Amino acid sequence: GAVVSQHPSWVICKSGTSVKIECRSLDFQATTMFWYRQFPKQSLMLMATSNEGSKATYEQGVEKDKFLINHASLTLSTLTVTSAHPEDSSFYICSAREGSYNEQFFGPGTRLTVL
Amino acid sequence: GEDVEQSLFLSVREGDSSVINCTYTDSSSTYLYWYKQEPGAGLQLLTYIFSNMDMKQDQRLTVLLNKKDKHLSLRIADTQTGDSAIYFCAERPYHGSSNTGKLIFGQGTTLQVKP
């Protein structure tokens, strides 16, 4: 099956710094990638949808200047949390979809802890 | 609106059947999914059902869909300790030409399997 990787798997940073999380589709071309955020014992909340080569579409309430998404190639999307604060600590999960196929394939997630 | 609800916790004995329930509100849903999440990991697609189907069976998994009541269930036969995880149902709404394929997730049901 299709594989999606995320890097890093966990990161600890100081408040005020920026953190970049990578999402890669390893064996298929991901025309669409999705970024989710998951708080402990809660559901996944969609943050944004990104299509290769175009600007990401952010969900209501998600600050696009805070969470920068770049989908520069068909196998890589990045999420940069700018000027991170402790309330940004969460589990960030990406998913990728090839073309208009039904299934999204999920990455293993990145645990961000902001001190 | 788009909303997906699940019960939060289910405990069963090994060998019994587990039934996890989900309700959704969006009648435009095209596909409905069941995902499994193990601790600290991403989501694994277990199965999905198209909205014009009533039932789908895949080995130990049986999905039932009552479209009139907007009710989805996942039955796991002969539940094993390795089935202990959080199970998410998700719907994929259809929004015509602006259809992005995004998923709306429930809160997740924690399945505890006792030996």
Side-chain angles (χ1 to χ4, degrees), chain A residues 21 35 60 108 111 115:
Chain A
I21 302 170
W35 285 96
Q60 195 171 11
R111 172 76 58 195
L115 302 176

Side-chain angles (χ1 to χ4, degrees), chain A residues 57-70:
Chain A
T57 302
Y58 289 81
E59 294 297 302
Q60 195 171 11
V62 178
E63 299 175 62
K64 61 181 180 182
D65 295 330
K66 170 78 171 174
F67 299 100
L68 300 178
I69 292 172
N70 184 284

Side-chain angles (χ1 to χ4, degrees), chain B residues 33-36 44-48 58 61 74 76 87:
Chain B
Y33 302 82
W34 284 103
Y35 287 89
K36 177 183 181 182
Q44 173 194 354
L45 177 66
L46 288 178
T47 186
Y48 65 91
D58 184 2
L61 305 179
L74 174 69
I76 305 173
Y87 290 79

Side-chain angles (χ1 to χ4, degrees), chain A residues 62-102:
Chain A
V62 178
E63 299 175 62
K64 61 181 180 182
D65 295 330
K66 170 78 171 174
F67 299 100
L68 300 178
I69 292 172
N70 184 284
H71 191 166
S73 78
L74 285 170
T75 58
L76 173 64
S77 176
T78 60
L79 167 67
T80 301
V81 183
T82 62
S83 186
H85 290 281
E87 58 266 29
D88 299 323
S89 298
S90 191
F91 194 52
Y92 292 87
I93 303 176
C94 74
S95 69
R97 186 181 67 175
E98 181 175 20
S100 59
Y101 290 140
N102 180 39

Side-chain angles (χ1 to χ4, degrees), chain B residues 52-64:
Chain B
N52 69 352
M53 297 171 64
D54 299 322
M55 186 183 88
K56 181 178 180 180
Q57 187 157 0
D58 184 2
Q59 299 182 334
R60 293 192 296 125
L61 305 179
T62 302
V63 178
L64 295 178

